[in-house]
Amino acid sequence: VQLQASGGGPVQAGGSLRLSCTFTGSTSWRWIMSWFRQVPGKEREFVAAIDWRSGTTSVTDSVKGRFTISKTTAKNTVYLQMNSLKPEDTAVYYCAADDTLIRSSWSMPTQYDYWGQGTLVTVSS
């Protein structure tokens, strides 16, 4: 399984970006697809996840109401729509996937077997 993330870049506070993550190499419907973010010196932080089969989503509280995770099944792509961006959203964003997770593990980066390469989001004030 390979994950290819894209869509990062510079944006001013209050602006929007949409990240995309396309995966190849699997036809399984059991995947949990997630977005994490990381800033230098800090641990990787859970942002959002989606159950590929059911469409059930989970979003961390700090971005709830601003970020939305969604998918396009036909394109094997998961999206992270980020609105009302703040400088504290600046980070490298990673997509991740796993097909063995239970719901309580969605936010744990150590539970994911597959990772994309990361895409940098820089929000200026």
Side-chain angles (χ1 to χ4, degrees), residues 60-104:
T60 195
D61 287 345
S62 62
V63 306
K64 200 165 289 184
R66 300 188 297 121
F67 291 12
T68 303
I69 188 169
S70 63
K71 65 179 177 74
T72 299
T73 303
K75 295 183 178 181
N76 280 1
T77 300
V78 61
Y79 306 97
L80 185 67
Q81 178 66 44
M82 305 185 295
N83 299 327
S84 302
L85 282 160
K86 304 175 181 180
E88 53 263 43
D89 295 319
T90 295
V92 177
Y93 284 71
Y94 297 90
C95 59
D98 202 276
D99 62 351
T100 64
L101 296 182
I102 58 175
R103 181 68 183 265
S104 60

Side-chain angles (χ1 to χ4, degrees), residues 4 6-7 26 30 43 46 49 59 63 79 110 116:
Q4 181 70 40
S6 62
S26 173
R30 294 165 51 192
E43 294 185 352
F46 171 75
V59 180
V63 306
Y79 306 97
T110 57

Side-chain angles (χ1 to χ4, degrees), residues 11-86:
V11 63
Q12 290 191 330
S16 298
L17 281 176
R18 188 177 78 160
L19 307 183
S20 300
C21 177
T22 300
F23 71 92
T24 57
S26 173
T27 57
S28 171
W29 282 79
R30 294 165 51 192
W31 294 103
I32 303 301
M33 303 292 296
S34 296
W35 289 96
F36 289 80
R37 64 186 181 185
Q38 190 169 25
V39 298
K42 292 191 174 181
E43 294 185 352
R44 196 162 291 190
E45 175 191 23
F46 171 75
V47 178
I50 188 166
D51 184 313
W52 197 257
R53 180 174 55 188
S54 69
T56 301
T57 63
S58 177
V59 180
T60 195
D61 287 345
S62 62
V63 306
K64 200 165 289 184
R66 300 188 297 121
F67 291 12
T68 303
I69 188 169
S70 63
K71 65 179 177 74
T72 299
T73 303
K75 295 183 178 181
N76 280 1
T77 300
V78 61
Y79 306 97
L80 185 67
Q81 178 66 44
M82 305 185 295
N83 299 327
S84 302
L85 282 160
K86 304 175 181 180

